[in-house]
Amino acid sequence: MGSRSMSSRGSGSWTAEENKAFEKALAVYDKDTPDRWYNVAKAVGGKTPEEVKRHYELLVEDVKHIESGQVPFPNYRTAGGSSHGKHSQ
């Protein structure tokens, strides 16, 4: 069993705070930035340049799947849902 601190460093587990820092860093360090992944990793903290680059590649793949229609949009309207308070049970 690995320690919790080691598992949080893995590229597969990103906290909400790390993802937010990642998004902000991508806006600052665009594709033309020298040492882009080093700078993004430094901004996120606790990740290697290889981990942030892989995270970016997975994000690009996800976006491609969504834009190509391979990922269905969620159906937010549910029959009999009480989110609007119009139906009583």
Side-chain angles (χ1 to χ4, degrees), residues 1-86:
M1 302 213 167
S3 71
R4 201 156 181 69
S5 63
M6 288 298 290
S7 65
S8 68
R9 286 184 53 86
S11 60
S13 58
W14 285 63
T15 65
E17 292 81 12
E18 288 171 332
N19 273 311
K20 196 63 167 170
F22 175 74
E23 292 171 11
K24 287 182 179 181
L26 287 179
V28 173
Y29 305 110
D30 68 9
K31 64 182 168 83
D32 298 322
T33 302
D35 299 319
R36 180 186 194 188
W37 302 120
Y38 171 81
N39 288 311
V40 172
K42 188 175 175 185
V44 171
K47 301 289 183 186
T48 67
E50 292 77 19
E51 286 173 326
V52 295
K53 184 177 181 184
R54 180 65 183 144
H55 197 60
Y56 177 78
E57 289 167 350
L58 292 171
L59 175 65
V60 170
E61 286 179 33
D62 285 347
V63 170
K64 285 181 184 176
H65 287 135
I66 292 167
E67 288 179 344
S68 69
Q70 294 177 344
V71 177
F73 286 101
N75 183 4
Y76 292 112
R77 295 180 182 216
T78 57
S82 59
S83 61
H84 297 294
K86 294 183 179 180

